Amino acid sequence: RLRENRVVMFCAWFLVLLVFIAIFAPWIAPFDPNEQSLADTLQGPSMKHFLGTDEMGRDLLSRIIYGTRISLSVGLVSQILACSIGVLLGALAGFYGGFIDTLISRTIEIFSAFPSLLFAIGIMFVIGPGVINVFIALGLLSWTSHARLVRGQIMQLREMEYAQACVVAGGSDARIIWRHLLPNCLSTIIVLITLGIPGAILTEASLSYIGLGVQPPTASWGQVISMAQQYITF
């Protein structure tokens, strides 16, 4: 059924291409992305530099290729961090309810009250720019959606007969949550991670664009756009 959907297959192959580019960037990129050549600054597309060069003479195609690594790593690592926090807190809130549920739910509401990009800018302003800090900021930014949905599913699943049977049999809370309830939330968690990766990539590009994300000379898509915009002519 998926193979018959042309849009799905196109997106799947495009994703495979991006992963391939990120893994084999040192062999695909025609130049070192940080190699400067002041004699070749701001050149247009040519046979030597297919996408031209920037203000420091660095090959733009090579920087875009290496920027793929940053974008994919930020998307994956930030979502793994967000999933770890969100699933843990959502499972605790949904299983125990009461005061724990109220405390975690209010925390989710506080984090969700801020515009996502503005919140990310605030976090980066406090902890400082850098790749690792981008991972942390985006992980803290997107854990609430994981926690909210996992909480709702756990609240439904804990009332199922098999879950009640585990309680009667004397199973520990941790065993019931991790062995019996969370595996039934796996499909939802996978969908959330899949949807969260593109958002994380866009947010990272936005942060790098305004100078709060990945710092030079490391190549990043947002940083390439930011440094090139002053040379755009019509």
Side-chain angles (χ1 to χ4, degrees):
R1 192 164 60 244
L2 289 176
R3 285 197 298 267
E4 294 175 356
N5 191 319
R6 294 183 179 181
V7 176
V8 171
M9 293 308 299
F10 173 79
C11 294
W13 282 111
F14 184 73
L15 180 60
V16 170
L17 176 63
L18 288 180
V19 173
F20 178 85
I21 291 174
I23 294 175
F24 296 101
W27 294 274
I28 297 175
F31 295 92
D32 184 333
N34 299 323
E35 180 182 355
Q36 300 182 16
S37 176
L38 298 181
D40 298 324
T41 58
L42 298 176
Q43 289 189 357
S46 63
M47 293 302 296
K48 182 180 180 181
H49 301 285
F50 292 112
L51 295 181
T53 60
D54 63 8
E55 72 282 0
M56 295 183 181
R58 297 174 295 192
D59 183 66
L60 284 175
L61 177 59
S62 300
R63 292 186 65 76
I64 292 173
I65 290 174
Y66 272 83
T68 306
R69 284 184 158 187
I70 295 295
S71 295
L72 291 182
S73 62
V74 165
L76 290 172
V77 175
S78 65
Q79 286 305 301
I80 291 174
L81 178 60
C83 180
S84 302
I85 299 173
V87 169
L88 175 61
L89 295 182
L92 293 176
F95 185 79
Y96 289 107
F99 174 75
I100 295 178
D101 182 26
T102 301
L103 178 62
I104 295 176
S105 296
R106 296 298 83 77
T107 304
I108 293 173
E109 292 172 0
I110 292 172
F111 273 79
S112 301
F114 297 94
S116 57
L117 183 57
L118 181 61
F119 191 29
I121 291 174
I123 295 175
M124 292 303 299
F125 183 79
V126 172
I127 65 179
V131 178
I132 302 300
N133 290 347
V134 170
F135 295 158
I136 297 173
L138 297 185
L140 294 176
L141 181 68
S142 53
W143 68 270
T144 54
S145 58
H146 296 74
R148 188 181 294 110
L149 288 179
V150 169
R151 170 185 173 273
Q153 285 207 314
I154 293 294
M155 291 180 70
Q156 293 179 344
L157 293 172
R158 72 179 182 180
E159 304 299 331
M160 302 292 288
E161 292 182 357
Y162 75 90
Q164 295 298 321
C166 293
V167 175
V168 173
S172 64
D173 293 348
R175 180 179 178 84
I176 295 172
I177 293 173
W178 299 109
R179 293 291 300 274
H180 300 285
L181 299 183
L182 281 181
N184 289 292
C185 303
L186 189 60
S187 59
T188 301
I189 295 172
I190 292 175
V191 171
L192 285 173
I193 292 175
T194 304
L195 294 175
I197 288 175
I201 292 175
L202 288 174
T203 304
E204 181 276 326
S206 301
L207 292 172
S208 297
Y209 178 80
I210 61 177
L212 291 176
V214 178
Q215 296 298 292
T218 304
S220 167
W221 289 347
Q223 183 191 110
V224 169
I225 296 173
S226 176
M227 299 182 71
Q229 68 173 353
Q230 58 184 314
Y231 302 105
I232 296 176
T233 57
F234 297 93

